[in-house]
Amino acid sequence: MMEKSEALQYKENGKTRKSISYGKSGLIKKSIIFIILSIVSFIFLIPFIWMLSTALKSPSELVASTTSFIPDELVWSNFLDALNAAPFLGYLGNSLIVSVSAVILAVFLNCLAGFAFAKYNFKGRDVLFIIVLCTLMIPVQITMIPNFYILKQLDWLNTYAGLVIPRTAEAFGLFLARQYILSIPNSLIEAARIDGAGEFKIFYKLILPNIKPLIGVLIIFNFMWRWNELIWPLIVVSDERMYTVQLGLAMLKGEHYVDWTQLMALTTMSIIPIMLVFLFFQRYFIKGLVTSGMK
Amino acid sequence: MSFKNFTQKNSHKIAPYIFIAPNIIVFMVFMIIPILFTFYIGMTEWSILGTPEFTGLNNYERMFSDPVFWRSLVNTFYYTAGTVPFSVFLGLLGAVLLNQKKIPFRPFFRAVFFAPVVVSMVAAGLIWTWIFNPNYGLANIIYSYFNVESVNWLSTPELAMPALILTTLWLRIGYSLVIYLAGLQAVPGELYEAAEIDGANTWQKFWKITIPMVKPTTTFVAIMEVIHGFMVFDLIYVMTNGGPGFSTTVIVQYIYQKAFTEGEMGYASTLATAFFFIILLLTLIQLRMGREK
Amino acid sequence: MTKNYHGKFIFIVGCLILFLSACAGTTDESDGAASDGEDSDGTEEIEFVLWGNSEPVQNEVQRSIDEFEKANPGIKVNANIVPPPEKGGNYYTKIKTRITSDDAPDVFRVQYQNVSEFVTDDALLNVTDVVNEHKENYIPSTLLAVTHEDEYYAMPHDYGALAVYYNKTYFEELGIEAPKTVEESWNWDEFLDVAQRIQDEGLAPYGISIEWDADNASRALPFLNQNNAYLLNEDLSSAAINSEEGIEAFTFLQEMYQNYMSEGNKMKTSEDAPTLFASGKAAMYIGGSYLINKFKEEMDSSEWGVTFTPKEKSSASNIGGNALAIPKNSKHTEAAKKFVAFMAEQENLAAWSVAGMGLPPRADVSPDYNVEDPAVMDVFIEQSKTGHEQMAKTVLDPRYPKINQAFADSLELLLISEFTPEEAVADVEKKLNDIVQ
């Protein structure tokens, strides 16, 4: 990959001397860039293609002495077999419940707290905010041992509550929310207050409608984080009925022997939901990143 | 009645506390208190079945003479140093290319580069484990094409970490690319036009205009990537489990291994505490650097 | 107006919390029923945690549970089938945490090498009365594994040994005869020579593959014992591995791995050893009898055979197999005991052995294995008799899980040549002394 990019710089370098705003050489330059982008994006797609190709191979072709990129015959039944072999639909259901409820809770609570941190002067605000900021750098792994016992005390092991609630205090989300809400003019809030609006009404009627792009970003981020998370479910869940998709996949790899056609079929199915979210909200996502992530 | 009056009058004073309460409570219960607990458990000896036994600084003594601990620190830095510069630079490069006007299929390219970012580390780890499989994997096709002997990346001590880094780059480049794309929008076009009039070539424009102008983005991306690098776990858990030997054992994975595989809660907490202070130190350095800027 | 919105806020948060606790509640119910007591209709539910992902095993679990429930109308058994205790599944950690946090399963499957750790931590229920019923019939080594101060703390459920599966096609092509009796076993040189010949002919890239991993480093112990090398001394008070025999054994292991095995097939595995054999990439495979299920499915019966593991100074075997144990703080000890006693019945042990292709722990149980060549099972039985007492004492010691980890770590570094055999032996010695002294 490195070599490619070096070659690319070199090419660009050699080309550009002549390329100052003359249409023809500009076209050549664009074609070269286009070709480079095509090649690199094909490389980026290879793992996906390989995953699909494996998922559709017959087990005997998989371990055949010659490895082929395109399966001889497409064995769609791998997907069904995989679903039968592992309670994957259950995992999917768990992941959906966890991700969706975590998104709702986290986005709501982060915006609310972000609003407070951005627009109120209250005792302890800065200290609290710095504490929150510090936790941005702290991985779950540092706290996982005590957390395990705290969850036990709350009787939250193997529950959705245990999977969702501790992860709603997402420092990054809170940070984003505060930064974004800071840019809303104070005069708007003052005006609303003079009109007699209560504090929650201000949040509900004034702030929320003004931070829609932020909410979009937070929804996608939170969904992605929760959907893709391994370590937290690994700590919280021991009962197979509560497995999330990622946990299920990681555990399947640990079985006595792995049927890679089925494993890749399941991996494919685990990626589909998050890809859908991404494709649907792509615009929103990138737009949101521009406006909020860049402070 | 008077209480109601009071709350109504002072609602803008009370409200923020109510607003932050749910978040702060969760922070306290699942972040701050556990950290303090970790400090304490780190000074005990505790196998899961028994009760914690206070041993003072014994665990720290053990840690300093534990070669795997040092190894895991080195590996953590290795992984971070191996991923951050590449994903930052390649991300920027990709963004610059994509940012050229009138490149056909631009949204398509952007989507392709970004797609791996949303893939979970577990899924990516599985896919790449399978790609690297020396017997049935994709790498095999490539090797036979070039007629070289197959290399077992994930089982060769010197190659396992590069394999992880390669996987990470596939996963992460799209992230920095998209953020750079956003950052590039903010660079005024007149700057380039002025430079062109002065006869600057693309390369000069890239070094003299683009890089300085996207510096805040670079800082942001680099910080995010460093955070990622220090916390990497899933990928290693799925792909190598720290092996071969300890050549891909990073600190976070070592903590997990000690605590949840070997059941040494006490020593694992010692490691976690040490890691906490390392991160604290790094954060302070980062803050200092940010301030100087 | 203000009040209204405060109300709305509280309402929304309340809804969310309700929603989540409802979600939590649904799982609590199914869990709670399993652990907390009786349903309204008076049936008791017990939870049986085990691993076993082959179809015959799962069917057998279901069959025995159905039978048991029919015979004991008041008891319901929930089988919780989880990933096996290897490759990072954290099986024992999870069981232990459940036991300490008073959320113990009622019956769980446990490898012999892990029983005594639980026993010394006083975590298991005394099941002497269950085992005593057929005491004289149990194979002594399995009984030894569950004994603590003359009382029994688990019911031996199956046992096994490692033997060598070999690819018949390759062997016939080269005219190699596999040993027919323990006495005829290859020595190390002969064993490696077979692998060498197969690799030289280009029949398979790997002569050998082994079913071992960091959680089951004990599967490497037979190689030490074959050279009369042991991890610990007679009374388990200090390491005994740093000897000429030990270094020789380590040298052999390193040579075997370096020259004849897939690089992924070490302690921290990244390779599926059975698949290597089934796909013909490895000519020989050292594994337990439970893998017959897989090979029967994926290979032709004429393609594979089973022979004895090599011997150098003596033959050797590991202690493979599992017991069923009841945590002391199970909330349904009586029902759990009934279930364990049921599983210990002759025909159920036989059915279990057939399903999992394991050996029955009792001499009076003779399973009717569904294999074309019954001699195959005899190899495993014969091999299992070659275990060294010294090895058994070590593996059945409560400190063994720690010893295993130390051994596995050093072995991994030996295999990938980060250690010379001498360094590895010294490393294990130091770590073992830290543990046992």
Side-chain angles (χ1 to χ4, degrees), chain B residues 18-35:
Chain B
I18 299 175
F19 289 172
I20 63 166
N23 248 313
I24 295 298
I25 289 171
V26 175
F27 260 118
M28 285 295 162
V29 175
F30 297 104
M31 219 24 160
I32 310 299
I33 295 175
I35 288 174

Side-chain angles (χ1 to χ4, degrees), chain A residues 159-183:
Chain A
T159 64
Y160 293 119
L163 283 168
V164 170
I165 292 174
R167 307 298 280 149
T168 55
E170 183 57 69
F172 191 68
L174 178 51
F175 176 68
L176 278 189
R178 175 187 172 264
Q179 298 301 91
Y180 198 91
I181 293 170
L182 271 179
S183 65

